Amino acid sequence: MPNLEHPAYPADDLLHLESLVPCRESQVSMLLSIFGERQQFSFPSIFIYGHTSSGKTYVMQTLLTTLQLPHVFVNCVEHFTSRLLLEEILIQLQNCSGTEQTSPVHCDTLNDFVRLFKQALASQELQDQTLYIVLDRAEQLREMEANILPAFLRLQELTDRNVTVVLLSEIVWELFRPNVGCFEPFTMYFPDYSIGHLQKILSQNHPPEYSADFYAAYINILLGVFYMVCRDLKELRHLAALNFAKYCEPVVRGEANERDTRKLWKNIEPHLKKAMQTVYLREISSSQWERLQQDGGEPGQLKGLSAHTHVELPYYSKFLLIAAYLASYNPVRTDKRFFLKHHGKIRKTNFMKKHEKTSNHLLGPKPFPLDRLLAILYSIVDNRVAPTANIFSQITSLVTLQLLSMVGQHDQLDGPRYKCTVSLDFIRTIAR
Amino acid sequence: QQIQEDLNKQLLDNLLSFLSRSHSDFQEKTTKWTCRMKFREIPTAALVLGVNVTDHNLTFRGLSDVLQDNITPYVALLEAKDCPGIKNLMQKLMGQLMNCDIEVDSLEDEDCVQVSQNRIRCSMPSLVSWYESVTKKTDSETPSKKRNSSSRHWQSPPVVVIFKDMESFTTKVLQDFIVISSQHIHELPLVLIFGIATSPMIIHRLLPHSVSSLLCIELFQSLSCKEHLSTIIDKLLLTSRFPFKLGGKVLQVLINIFLYHDFSVQNFIKGFQLCIMEHFYSQPLSVLCCHLADIKKRVYSLSNDQCENIRRLPSFRRYVEKQESGKQVELLTNDSFLKEETEKLLEDLHVYHENYVSILRCLHVFTSSLPKYPLGKQIRELHCACLENQVWETEEYESSLQLARMLNKADLVTMLQQCVEILMSSSGKEFNKTVEKLKEFLTQFQNLEAEASQERDVSVSSQKELQKKTDLYHLQKTLLELKESRRSKKLTKFEMLRFEVVDYIDRLVRKYLVPADKRTLHEIVYFNAATVLRGHLNAAPRTALHTALNNPHWYLKNQALKCDGGGISNKAPDICIVYKLHLECGRLINLVDWLEAFSTVVMAAEEPNADAASSDEVDDIIHARFIRAVSELELLGFIKPSKQKTDHVARLTWGGC
């Protein structure tokens, strides 16, 4: 494993940095060599991508703060318009320079931004250092104005200052590239953590009351259960914190000492499996889980989110929904056969129905006009239904409940078309 | 009317009691705030409210009021229709939060806050800074001032954001909002509340796992709306507190609308209010529909006409006919005598209501636990049945009595106890005897138990005897005897008692559950015009439009328009003629043919002997009238221009296919 070394930075800082970013040494050293020394111009834009929680944001942040490089860190989801984004960058810039001018910044266009950016840099003692602008969740940039992304990519050129833009994203660069062509950033990939890495990282922050070995053993068990379904570091850390109290229980009670791994394993394993079925899927919330652990009760008492699938609907709404389902999944030409009293060839119909149903279910729901829905409704409800306003308002309320969805323009008054969005299971429970 | 206000208040109380329940859990969660911090989860409450969307507004208003009173001044209600994008959502959120802030400390810097609001940047950091400034301000305030706020709120009150209709939000907006707020959860204690109408699965459908893992969701289920309805019916109809009553058919209509159409309690209440209005508006004697205390005063202030009105009531006429002739004359001629009689009758009616309700509850206790529920599971069904006709004549009642005769002892005893409780709690004076009787039954049952144990002793001893005897014949004989005696003796006593109880209940029912329309003067307090109500509540736009166009006399009340059968009168408005002609056509209508038909109809009566030249060429005026009528039809949505054939229009209504 290569030790971090760079002539520009003090050795103990680097050592500290290395301890903070386990399993990412190679990437960090790569970044450092790109950055070069403080005053050197660096690559204009760097694009870093990797899967969820592969440490992109964390590495960048620790790198920049421990080495005390001037930087601006912005999340693009949070600043959802270009104006907010640019203003946020400028505000942070003012703050990091330390000049206490709290005048509100106004920056509507990129042109303004470049001007103000130059001003901000000129007023500070930053000219001799590279400024880093980190844009987290950069995939949002694509949805802003078309000029934002290319401009950020060549900000160095536009402002003629020593600045490097770092884009962090979960998707590859190829999906970013605009049609018109732009400056190609230096791309860098952060690979997923392997199980060994996860083990190492998770065991690093063990609680002070227990020894590191003890915690490492616990993490080992935890990973054994959860690694199959979840490789998200954040999620794993969350689960580890939630279930650790239970793991320690025998030790606290004095039934087992810290070395007694087998016994502890036996104690925790069913518990973890239960957790996988409930907490991990967010069937029950973590606070409920904690309460459960304290009570020592069975999780059977607590119903998960998906246990409440039953939906109560008014009488005619049920029929409307069923009619909508039939209209969505049956082709128009079979209507006459299914819903008319006198039709011939029953045996053939049955066969056809089965055949068509499978294929139609694979195709998904088809839109149907309102009149057809009502016609089917009249034929499946036993007694007469008056086409009152109540029925029509029920259709719209079904749309707001997202059980039906409207197809086409919303303000089209003549012949609105709908689609049924519920599944066969749902219809089955309703039809009962 | 104050009754209506009462009514609304009751509904709100109902809601609030439910909310406080969900709310207590909620508070618990906020206390655990600190421990949640490290996980970066946003505490979230998922409120499953059922599909009656119209009721939700009230619920949420109540909820936010409660929250504002007890926990935090910072509550924002968000609706999907206001928030098509994340930007609008943030703007709305900030606006609401800042506004409620202004309400709290309106004394000092109201104008300064308002000024800054105009040019505020709608983003999370500004929200955070605002929050910090606000909380700091409350900290630095003088304690005397602070007492007011901090006694109700906490040191750092959470910011509650309520999403009224989770289903209608676009996924992206929600996801973005959750991601953003999870970034700032350390600085801004945020609590989300999702209002869910269908099922909690919607959360998983709307949010991917990476987002939902940022939430710490707890589920709260509200009462189902059916239960809600029964409590309301219980409180409004089955009490003697409100003099106004609904007739059986009307109640049935209201309940049907509720069950078949919308599940909306609010609509039910509105229907009820409509009934009240209609009753007081249409029934001249409804002045007498008031509390018992006021009756005397009002009866004596009746005018001559009103007395005549009373005499005209069918139920009163029936009553008069039953009296002897001297009294009949007196009733029909003497106003003051009539007033006295009326007062007495109204008081009778009031007493009848009191008795009715409690006996109804007793009967419900019995019938609700029978298998297959011959008289309905809910008390409202029983109520309807009793209002409709004499309940003891129905088949269902017979079968339920049959079933009641087969109940086992434990159930019977508990039911009797419940009945005693109900009757004790009711205010009626006549029930003392009934209660005594029921108590007597109870003691008899207890005696039975004691006897049974004695008998068991006897049988044990006889068994001992049996062991002594070895003779086969004797053995058989004694065994048979024993069996018989056991069956006949022990069971008959219990059975007899059971029969007695059921008969007694039957007698009570016959005495007290007389349908209301058999009572004299029931018209004063009962609203029975079910057809009127149905016409008001079940709007049928298509039918109305059809009758208006097909039979203009119905709405215009013009004698000339009265037509018989299928003929098309030429005196009708143009649009009616056009409509009737279009009914005869297929999916595509040829405009030229239509015009021809129209002109013949119009010309038919006007000038039957017009010369051939003018009838050949269609008159310009008629042409214009036709075009106007057709475009009116198009505006109403009956036809639209078709692209298949240029001189045709497509028909959009029924019968086209």
Side-chain angles (χ1 to χ4, degrees):
Chain A
M1 203 156 286
N3 264 328
L4 296 178
E5 46 190 41
H6 200 277
Y9 307 104
D12 48 342
D13 266 4
L14 287 176
L15 216 62
H16 181 59
L17 180 68
E18 193 182 345
S19 71
L20 280 178
V21 284
C23 317
R24 281 280 174 258
E25 289 85 359
S26 62
Q27 279 83 12
V28 170
S29 68
M30 169 87 108
L31 277 174
L32 281 178
S33 53
I34 295 169
F35 287 173
E37 287 172 36
R38 275 170 196 275
Q39 70 280 8
Q40 283 170 344
F41 271 64
S42 159
F43 216 76
S45 51
I46 304 170
F47 181 82
I48 300 176
Y49 67 101
H51 202 259
T52 318
S53 73
S54 48
K56 304 175 293 292
T57 314
Y58 175 72
V59 165
M60 271 322 284
Q61 209 150 21
T62 38
L63 178 66
L64 293 172
T65 43
T66 41
L67 298 183
Q68 289 170 338
L69 299 169
H71 68 278
V72 170
F73 207 95
V74 186
N75 190 332
C76 295
V77 178
E78 198 183 319
H79 305 279
F80 38 86
T81 62
S82 58
R83 179 170 157 246
L84 282 177
L85 184 72
L86 299 178
E87 284 179 2
E88 177 68 21
I89 293 174
L90 290 175
I91 287 172
Q92 283 197 21
L93 209 58
Q94 279 181 359
N95 288 346
C96 80
S97 69
T99 46
E100 285 298 320
Q101 53 167 125
T102 48
S103 62
V105 197
H106 283 288
C107 174
D108 285 325
T109 63
L110 209 81
N111 202 10
D112 284 349
F113 175 70
V114 169
R115 186 173 52 81
L116 289 167
F117 186 78
K118 275 187 196 170
Q119 269 179 19
L121 278 193
S123 65
Q124 298 158 19
E125 308 78 54
L126 290 173
Q127 276 112 328
D128 53 341
Q129 291 185 31
T130 317
L131 178 76
Y132 296 95
I133 297 178
V134 186
L135 300 174
D136 201 358
R137 310 276 300 243
E139 57 268 18
Q140 295 289 327
L141 287 178
R142 295 179 301 169
E143 273 139 50
M144 295 176 190
E145 284 91 356
N147 65 346
I148 292 283
L149 181 61
F152 269 120
L153 287 174
R154 46 180 52 191
L155 196 64
Q156 201 175 65
E157 195 181 319
L158 286 172
T159 56
D160 200 18
R161 293 290 182 277
N162 190 358
V163 62
T164 296
V165 176
V166 184
L167 303 169
L168 305 181
S169 175
E170 284 176 15
I171 56 178
V172 292
W173 168 247
E174 278 68 33
L175 293 170
F176 272 80
R177 196 178 287 140
N179 299 332
V180 284
C182 65
F183 184 81
E184 289 284 318
F186 178 83
T187 53
M188 199 170 152
Y189 177 59
F190 273 43
D192 281 354
Y193 289 116
S194 70
I195 187 165
H197 289 161
L198 286 175
Q199 166 89 37
K200 197 172 161 194
I201 296 165
L202 282 173
S203 349
Q204 215 173 31
N205 45 3
H206 62 90
E209 307 95 84
Y210 296 97
S211 71
D213 286 348
F214 178 66
Y215 194 73
Y218 165 66
I219 291 297
N220 203 3
I221 294 170
L222 186 89
L223 280 178
V225 175
F226 282 104
Y227 187 70
M228 297 297 285
V229 291
C230 170
R231 303 185 179 190
D232 191 329
L233 183 62
K234 273 185 241 160
E235 196 70 7
L236 282 172
R237 189 182 288 158
H238 175 83
L239 287 166
L242 270 185
N243 294 310
F244 188 59
K246 182 82 180 171
Y247 183 71
C248 295
E249 235 173 45
V251 180
V252 174
R253 280 204 304 259
E255 287 171 12
N257 63 12
E258 292 194 6
R259 307 241 157 257
D260 211 349
T261 353
R262 196 177 155 66
K263 204 168 183 180
L264 290 171
W265 182 74
K266 264 196 176 157
N267 175 40
I268 194 75
E269 207 220 356
H271 186 73
L272 284 181
K273 286 210 165 128
K274 236 180 273 164
M276 183 158 75
Q277 282 158 9
T278 53
V279 183
Y280 173 61
L281 295 174
R282 292 295 186 275
E283 288 286 297
I284 61 178
S285 69
S286 39
S287 64
Q288 278 172 321
W289 180 252
E290 274 176 353
R291 230 174 294 152
L292 207 72
Q293 281 184 348
Q294 282 159 12
D295 302 344
E298 284 292 302
Q301 310 152 353
L302 262 177
K303 276 188 188 162
L305 284 178
S306 55
H308 300 265
T309 45
H310 178 65
V311 179
E312 259 187 355
L313 285 173
Y315 184 75
Y316 283 133
S317 290
K318 282 182 189 170
F319 277 108
L320 269 175
L321 205 57
I322 293 168
Y325 185 79
L326 291 172
S328 265
Y329 284 100
N330 286 333
V332 185
R333 64 196 156 77
T334 58
D335 278 1
K336 224 172 200 172
R337 260 185 304 168
F338 289 155
F339 303 115
L340 243 54
K341 286 257 159 59
H342 308 288
H343 58 78
K345 296 189 235 165
I346 299 171
R347 288 181 71 189
K348 200 179 174 190
T349 322
N350 264 344
F351 171 70
M352 291 283 283
K353 189 180 172 187
K354 223 170 227 172
H355 174 70
E356 274 161 2
K357 218 169 195 176
T358 45
S359 63
N360 280 334
H361 276 286
L362 289 177
L363 288 174
K366 291 189 191 64
F368 52 87
L370 176 66
D371 284 348
R372 193 172 158 225
L373 171 71
L374 289 177
I376 295 178
L377 174 73
Y378 295 144
S379 73
I380 59 174
V381 180
D382 291 335
N383 43 358
R384 252 189 95 254
V385 194
T388 58
N390 279 330
I391 296 276
F392 296 122
S393 69
Q394 269 178 56
I395 295 176
T396 47
S397 75
L398 284 177
V399 172
T400 52
L401 294 179
Q402 300 224 316
L403 297 173
L404 299 182
S405 67
M406 205 184 244
V407 185
Q409 289 94 4
H410 283 261
D411 43 46
Q412 196 181 10
L413 276 178
D414 52 335
R417 293 162 78 79
Y418 298 93
K419 227 181 204 181
C420 183
T421 53
V422 294
S423 65
L424 182 62
D425 293 335
F426 190 86
I427 288 292
R428 278 209 182 110
T429 50
I430 278 183
R432 214 176 287 133
Chain B
Q1 284 126 346
Q2 84 249 26
I3 304 163
Q4 284 182 16
E5 281 162 27
D6 275 6
L7 217 150
N8 277 336
K9 217 197 291 171
Q10 233 170 34
L11 175 73
L12 256 179
D13 285 349
N14 244 350
L15 277 176
L16 286 186
S17 67
F18 138 68
L19 285 174
S20 58
R21 178 179 58 80
S22 77
H23 193 245
S24 58
D25 297 335
F26 189 73
Q27 240 167 345
E28 239 170 67
K29 193 159 41 157
T30 37
T31 51
K32 287 191 173 176
W33 179 251
T34 41
C35 70
R36 189 85 330 97
M37 296 273 260
K38 61 184 171 193
F39 295 127
R40 238 198 193 186
E41 284 188 322
I42 311 168
T44 308
L47 236 70
V48 180
L49 289 164
V51 293
N52 44 340
V53 189
T54 36
D55 295 351
H56 293 177
N57 258 334
L58 205 65
T59 318
F60 281 118
R61 220 177 309 139
L63 177 66
S64 68
D65 284 349
V66 170
L67 285 176
Q68 261 168 359
D69 286 349
N70 299 329
I71 295 204
T72 164
Y74 314 119
V75 179
L77 270 169
L78 295 177
E79 259 180 285
K81 65 167 186 272
D82 299 329
C83 314
I86 182 81
K87 195 172 163 190
N88 309 58
L89 189 142
M90 291 302 290
Q91 266 168 358
K92 194 91 188 153
L93 177 67
M94 303 267 297
Q96 285 194 15
L97 288 177
M98 306 271 182
N99 269 333
C100 63
D101 171 50
I102 287 174
E103 275 171 20
V104 168
D105 48 22
S106 52
L107 317 160
E108 312 129 76
D109 40 11
E110 191 172 321
D111 36 12
C112 118
V113 172
Q114 263 170 353
V115 168
S116 65
Q117 212 181 336
N118 292 333
R119 50 195 174 77
I120 204 112
R121 299 167 67 248
C122 288
S123 69
M124 214 58 175
S126 46
L127 193 63
V128 169
S129 59
W130 161 79
Y131 182 77
E132 270 169 10
S133 71
V134 166
T135 41
K136 230 179 261 162
K137 209 186 290 163
T138 45
D139 282 347
S140 60
E141 268 172 22
T142 50
S144 60
K145 234 180 182 178
K146 203 175 132 192
R147 209 193 315 142
N148 194 15
S149 61
S150 65
S151 58
R152 290 187 300 148
H153 310 310
W154 301 8
Q155 209 62 23
S156 61
V159 175
V160 181
V161 182
I162 304 176
F163 293 92
K164 270 189 187 173
D165 37 0
M166 172 96 174
E167 277 92 350
S168 322
F169 277 94
T170 42
T171 37
K172 188 157 182 319
V173 171
L174 268 184
Q175 282 174 30
D176 282 355
F177 181 72
I178 291 168
V179 169
I180 292 171
S181 42
S182 78
Q183 302 261 323
H184 289 276
I185 200 75
H186 296 272
E187 298 124 32
L188 186 71
L190 204 70
V191 179
L192 306 181
I193 297 179
F194 294 145
I196 298 173
T198 48
S199 71
M201 287 301 283
I202 195 85
I203 295 177
H204 290 302
R205 220 180 323 148
L206 281 180
L207 304 173
H209 185 252
S210 62
V211 177
S212 67
S213 64
L214 294 172
L215 300 174
C216 172
I217 302 169
E218 266 185 64
L219 195 68
F220 301 99
Q221 188 111 29
S222 77
L223 277 177
S224 103
C225 39
K226 281 182 187 166
E227 285 167 44
H228 202 141
L229 177 77
S230 26
T231 52
I232 283 193
I233 288 184
D234 219 46
K235 284 199 172 152
L236 286 181
L237 301 179
L238 301 178
T239 53
S240 42
R241 276 180 46 212
F242 302 111
F244 176 75
K245 295 273 185 280
L246 285 179
K249 288 219 182 75
V250 174
L251 186 60
Q252 200 67 52
V253 167
L254 282 180
I255 289 178
N256 275 354
I257 289 178
F258 179 82
L259 288 182
Y260 283 0
H261 290 295
D262 50 7
F263 267 180
S264 160
V265 176
Q266 206 161 4
N267 280 358
F268 182 82
I269 297 282
K270 283 205 180 116
F272 188 70
Q273 285 169 348
L274 182 77
C275 290
I276 296 177
M277 285 226 326
E278 191 69 35
H279 180 69
F280 283 102
Y281 182 69
S282 61
Q283 176 63 260
L285 287 174
S286 54
V287 271
L288 293 179
C289 175
C290 56
H291 287 281
L292 194 59
D294 303 336
I295 280 184
K296 198 165 184 174
K297 216 168 63 195
R298 293 206 190 171
V299 165
Y300 281 106
S301 61
L302 284 181
S303 69
N304 205 4
D305 285 352
Q306 282 169 323
C307 289
E308 279 305 309
N309 275 332
I310 291 181
R311 285 183 191 124
R312 246 178 263 139
L313 288 179
S315 69
F316 189 74
R317 260 190 244 158
R318 249 179 287 145
Y319 172 74
V320 170
E321 277 158 23
K322 273 183 215 153
Q323 310 299 320
E324 65 235 39
S325 58
K327 209 174 171 190
Q328 271 185 12
V329 175
E330 193 81 337
L331 275 174
L332 289 179
T333 50
N334 191 349
D335 271 2
S336 59
F337 184 70
L338 174 80
K339 280 176 186 170
E340 269 171 40
E341 199 66 23
T342 313
E343 193 193 333
K344 215 171 74 202
L345 284 172
L346 281 174
E347 271 165 18
D348 275 357
L349 201 61
H350 191 79
V351 171
Y352 155 76
H353 281 145
E354 277 179 3
N355 298 341
Y356 174 86
V357 169
S358 24
I359 295 295
L360 186 74
R361 283 181 203 275
C362 288
L363 185 62
H364 179 239
V365 166
F366 269 89
T367 54
S368 61
S369 57
L370 295 175
K372 284 204 224 150
Y373 311 107
L375 276 172
K377 214 198 267 184
Q378 307 280 351
I379 198 164
R380 57 166 186 263
E381 295 164 57
L382 192 63
H383 182 56
C384 281
C386 290
L387 283 175
E388 222 41 75
N389 41 28
Q390 284 160 332
V391 74
W392 55 87
E393 281 170 2
T394 57
E395 270 176 46
E396 289 87 7
Y397 184 74
E398 272 308 309
S399 65
S400 63
L401 275 194
Q402 290 278 321
L403 287 169
R405 289 196 184 103
M406 284 183 270
L407 284 170
N408 65 357
K409 202 176 119 201
D411 285 350
L412 205 58
V413 169
T414 50
M415 280 178 200
L416 280 178
Q417 272 159 353
Q418 277 175 11
C419 288
V420 169
E421 272 168 32
I422 290 169
L423 292 180
M424 297 281 263
S425 64
S426 82
S427 51
K429 296 146 215 149
E430 295 176 31
F431 287 131
N432 291 337
K433 248 168 52 193
T434 328
V435 170
E436 268 168 34
K437 182 83 183 163
L438 287 177
K439 275 185 178 163
E440 202 182 298
F441 279 132
L442 275 175
T443 48
Q444 276 179 3
F445 273 118
Q446 272 151 17
N447 289 345
L448 256 188
E449 221 163 71
E451 276 172 38
S453 61
Q454 273 176 12
E455 232 168 77
R456 214 172 296 133
D457 292 343
V458 173
S459 65
V460 167
S461 63
S462 65
Q463 262 175 355
K464 273 176 194 159
E465 267 175 49
L466 203 130
Q467 279 166 355
K468 285 176 204 161
K469 287 178 183 164
T470 45
D471 187 353
L472 194 71
Y473 172 72
H474 274 283
L475 186 80
Q476 250 177 358
K477 207 172 141 193
T478 41
L479 262 178
L480 271 177
E481 264 176 23
L482 205 67
K483 236 185 219 168
E484 214 145 83
S485 69
R486 215 185 264 165
R487 196 165 281 162
S488 56
K489 224 200 221 159
K490 208 164 98 186
L491 288 184
T492 41
K493 247 189 196 167
F494 171 62
E495 253 170 14
M496 259 160 53
L497 200 55
R498 196 161 58 181
F499 273 125
E500 236 174 89
V501 170
V502 174
D503 282 346
Y504 185 70
I505 294 289
D506 186 34
R507 245 179 295 141
L508 279 179
V509 167
R510 276 162 201 268
K511 189 173 170 196
Y512 292 110
L513 291 189
V514 186
D517 47 6
K518 294 281 183 298
R519 305 290 303 196
T520 316
L521 292 185
H522 70 90
E523 286 94 339
I524 289 178
V525 290
Y526 278 87
F527 177 69
N528 253 327
T531 44
V532 177
L533 185 71
R534 198 176 289 143
H536 282 313
L537 290 183
N538 277 359
R542 275 191 185 182
T543 339
L545 211 54
H546 183 78
T547 37
L549 291 173
N550 214 13
N551 187 10
H553 170 67
W554 183 265
Y555 287 103
L556 295 179
K557 309 281 182 205
N558 189 343
Q559 278 306 315
L561 294 176
K562 208 168 185 178
C563 62
D564 31 72
I568 304 173
S569 141
N570 61 324
K571 292 189 191 69
D574 293 343
I575 188 170
C576 298
I577 300 171
V578 172
Y579 177 77
K580 275 193 184 174
L581 289 170
H582 119 283
L583 282 182
E584 293 162 4
C585 299
R587 233 187 74 72
L588 284 175
I589 306 168
N590 190 336
L591 277 174
V592 180
D593 294 348
W594 204 1
L595 175 61
E596 295 262 295
F598 179 73
S599 72
T600 44
V601 168
V602 173
M603 302 290 278
E606 255 171 31
E607 282 153 70
N609 51 353
D611 49 303
S614 71
S615 69
D616 207 39
E617 265 313 288
V618 178
D619 192 3
D620 273 354
I621 295 175
I622 290 180
H623 197 173
R625 277 166 67 184
F626 173 73
I627 288 174
R628 195 179 69 176
V630 167
S631 56
E632 274 170 356
L633 270 194
E634 193 182 335
L635 187 71
L636 287 174
F638 284 100
I639 52 168
K640 72 171 183 189
S642 87
K643 279 173 190 143
Q644 294 167 17
K645 289 181 181 173
T646 41
D647 56 344
H648 284 62
V649 288
R651 198 178 151 178
L652 293 170
T653 42
W654 298 103
C657 33

